[in-house]
Amino acid sequence: MARVRCITEMGMGVDVHGRDATKAAKRAVSDAIRHSSLGFFRMLGKTANDMFVDVTIAVPNPEGVDTAVVAKELPYGTVKVTAVAGGLEIPSDIGNDPILIANAAVIVSFDDGKTA
């Protein structure tokens, strides 16, 4: 079955102190979905649990993202989180306390119900 993309949301999350990529990633996902209300499932004969949610997180240190923890920010569907290089780290002017910024792309899709 092919997937049909229905929703694309973007978000940004920041860890101001601590350089915690997972914390910034969770905030980016929360920012992306915070204002979404997906009410079209019934029209498609689907439920929220039928959706596939693909998340891409961009941070300077993708190996520092706990993707399983980030996936828990999404309450429904089959969730896949991938961390890639990107985002932004802003150096601190005093000491070693940079600001870490994560960007998230959250894509919701459904199987189209057709066999290939």
Side-chain angles (χ1 to χ4, degrees):
M1 291 188 199
R3 289 192 191 171
V4 176
R5 182 186 297 195
C6 297
I7 303 289
T8 302
E9 296 282 351
M10 282 72 62
M12 183 187 78
V14 179
D15 182 25
V16 178
H17 301 286
R19 221 180 198 169
D20 187 328
T22 299
K23 184 186 290 184
K26 287 173 54 179
R27 290 175 176 169
V29 169
S30 178
D31 180 52
I33 68 169
R34 179 168 286 133
H35 303 289
S36 296
S37 177
L38 308 179
F40 61 88
F41 301 121
R42 286 185 297 263
M43 282 184 349
L44 301 175
K46 306 282 186 180
T47 71
N49 289 319
D50 293 322
M51 68 182 168
F52 294 90
V53 184
D54 294 296
V55 179
T56 302
I57 299 292
V59 290
N61 56 331
E63 68 284 347
V65 176
D66 185 335
T67 56
V69 169
V70 175
K72 291 178 183 176
E73 291 295 303
L74 298 149
Y76 303 106
T78 302
V79 179
K80 178 183 171 194
V81 177
T82 304
V84 299
L88 182 64
E89 189 172 289
I90 302 168
S92 60
D93 54 353
I94 300 174
N96 186 21
D97 192 22
I99 298 170
L100 188 113
I101 301 175
N103 297 105
V106 179
I107 298 172
V108 176
S109 59
F110 291 90
D111 278 338
D112 63 6
K114 301 174 186 174
T115 56

